[in-house]
Amino acid sequence: MIETHELTKRYGKKLAVDHLTITVRPGQVTGFLGPNGAGKSTTMRLVLGLDHPTSGYALVNGKPYAAHRDPLHQVGALLEARAIHSARSARDHLRIMAASQGLPARRADEVLELTGLTAVARRKAGGFSLGMGQRLGLAVALLADPLTLILDEPVNGLDPEGVLWVRNLVRHEAGRGRTVFLSSHLMSEVALVADHLVVLGRGRLLVEKPMSEFIAESSEVATRIRSPQAAELADAIAGPTVQLRALGPGLFEARGCAAEDIGEIAAERGIVLHELTPLQVSLEEAYMKLTADEVEYTGHMDAQGIHGEPGGAADPVDVSGLPAPQAGERAGDFPEYPEGVR
């Protein structure tokens, strides 16, 4: 578990983290989001003791990170994958890390295999590509089978196979009762793996809640409808608070009217339905709406012809047819990973 209480960091006049209080719980993946400059990386550094807070505090598994006698067993972190000695081989680097924590040398080979680096284990890390360096950083984070994972942009530089592997890995670790705290600018990836969200803006907490709740609260009541009697159904549900938009022959979207109500109206009138789908915004749409006024570094782009404003005038409807570990468990017997994580 990760806990912060009134965590604050100031660099001169810049307030990077502003009285941040959050709890990142075990057994789930927590997505950590925010625009550039929001304070995400600073927060992670404060949690790991790499920076000292101006005020407040951060705890990992009940203690400040520096107070743990077995830090790599407690936290596996990926903040800067290339921050390793460039003249060392991947295997030597991992074996040195393993020895520092009293881990057997074989553990280095196990995480090299797990991360797909066995074939390049004896190559100097300085010659690694971005993706290979990222895999080595993940190998370091997983080395001691830690209770908590802190991952900053873990899929950066990975190919599609590697991205899928990371997805499977973080879900597997959360399923084992581990705490997974994952920062990424790729909304599509966070949407696929995260159970919970923490969103920052200009160092302040904007949201801390389950993913499903965040998206539901950001969504309008909207329904996608397909029917051979589309015009008749559109007339039946039309009203001052309902917006209709044609999507194709026999297919339209209704805003301001719940799917349940539309289904009941169709049943009462004997209207055939081929599709009745409640709609919700994507994580990216909900996030952009939340952080619209929190972006510190922004450019300018003429939005005309690129994305339209929602809720505009509706087109007429086309009538032509439409096993968890125990608290304090130490790494010893390392886990067997399922096929999708290997």
Side-chain angles (χ1 to χ4, degrees):
M1 180 182 291
I2 301 169
E3 302 165 272
T4 72
H5 179 74
E6 294 292 318
L7 189 64
T8 302
K9 181 62 180 179
R10 184 182 291 278
Y11 297 100
K13 295 182 179 180
K14 168 71 174 177
L15 187 59
V17 180
D18 187 359
H19 296 85
L20 180 64
T21 298
I22 60 172
T23 301
V24 183
R25 302 186 183 279
Q28 61 185 18
V29 178
T30 298
F32 193 28
L33 306 178
N36 289 335
K40 303 186 302 299
S41 294
T42 301
T43 298
M44 289 179 160
R45 290 179 61 82
L46 292 169
V47 170
L48 293 168
L50 298 174
D51 276 334
H52 295 291
T54 304
S55 62
Y57 61 84
L59 304 177
V60 182
N61 303 329
K63 296 180 181 180
Y65 179 78
H68 285 287
R69 299 180 64 181
D70 53 353
L72 292 189
H73 293 279
Q74 298 295 325
V75 182
L78 173 66
L79 297 191
E80 175 50 66
R82 304 307 292 271
I84 62 175
H85 198 302
S86 61
R88 286 181 187 161
S89 70
R91 187 168 185 263
D92 284 346
H93 179 70
L94 288 165
R95 292 188 72 174
I96 290 169
M97 296 290 291
S100 74
Q101 295 296 299
L103 299 173
R106 62 175 172 80
R107 182 58 180 165
D109 294 319
E110 289 172 357
V111 292
L112 284 167
E113 181 180 2
L114 176 64
T115 54
L117 292 175
T118 299
V120 294
R122 298 184 184 279
R123 282 180 54 180
K124 291 182 179 180
F128 276 12
S129 66
L130 176 60
M132 290 164 61
Q134 196 76 357
R135 286 175 180 267
L136 180 55
L138 287 164
V140 172
L142 295 169
L143 185 65
D145 189 24
L147 299 174
T148 299
L149 284 172
I150 298 178
L151 306 175
D152 190 8
E153 302 290 348
V155 300
N156 185 35
L158 295 181
D159 57 18
E161 181 184 5
V163 171
L164 178 59
W165 173 79
V166 172
R167 284 182 210 157
N168 290 333
L169 172 72
V170 297
R171 293 304 314 164
H172 177 71
E173 291 298 297
R176 296 176 60 223
R178 277 19 186 177
T179 300
V180 181
F181 195 36
L182 183 153
S183 173
S184 179
H185 285 108
L186 298 178
M187 294 295 121
S188 58
E189 290 304 313
V190 176
L192 287 170
V193 300
D195 307 292
H196 203 82
L197 288 177
V198 172
V199 185
L200 299 189
R202 299 183 188 270
R204 297 177 292 107
L205 179 64
L206 301 181
V207 161
E208 182 183 6
K209 62 182 55 177
M211 167 86 75
S212 57
E213 185 178 326
F214 174 59
I215 290 178
E217 290 178 356
S218 304
S219 298
E220 298 179 71
V221 177
T223 307
R224 177 185 172 97
I225 306 146
R226 188 188 302 273
S227 171
Q229 299 164 270
E232 182 181 347
L233 182 55
D235 288 341
I237 64 176
T241 62
V242 178
Q243 292 182 316
L244 305 177
R245 184 165 69 95
L247 301 176
L251 179 66
F252 67 101
E253 180 182 289
R255 293 184 176 271
C257 189
E260 295 87 346
D261 297 332
I262 296 170
E264 290 178 5
I265 292 171
E268 288 173 1
R269 297 176 180 243
I271 296 174
V272 175
L273 290 174
H274 290 171
E275 180 183 351
L276 187 65
T277 305
L279 301 177
Q280 64 180 18
V281 300
S282 66
L283 172 60
E284 182 173 24
E285 291 167 328
Y287 166 82
M288 294 296 286
K289 180 179 179 181
L290 175 70
T291 61
D293 297 325
E294 304 295 336
V295 177
E296 187 167 349
Y297 307 106
T298 183
H300 174 74
M301 180 179 291
D302 184 357
Q304 184 175 3
I306 298 173
H307 54 81
E309 290 294 326
D315 296 329
V317 176
D318 189 337
V319 299
S320 61
L322 258 167
Q326 299 299 312
E329 177 186 356
R330 290 287 301 272
D333 295 327
F334 296 103
E336 286 293 326
Y337 287 88
E339 192 64 29
V341 181
R342 290 185 184 278

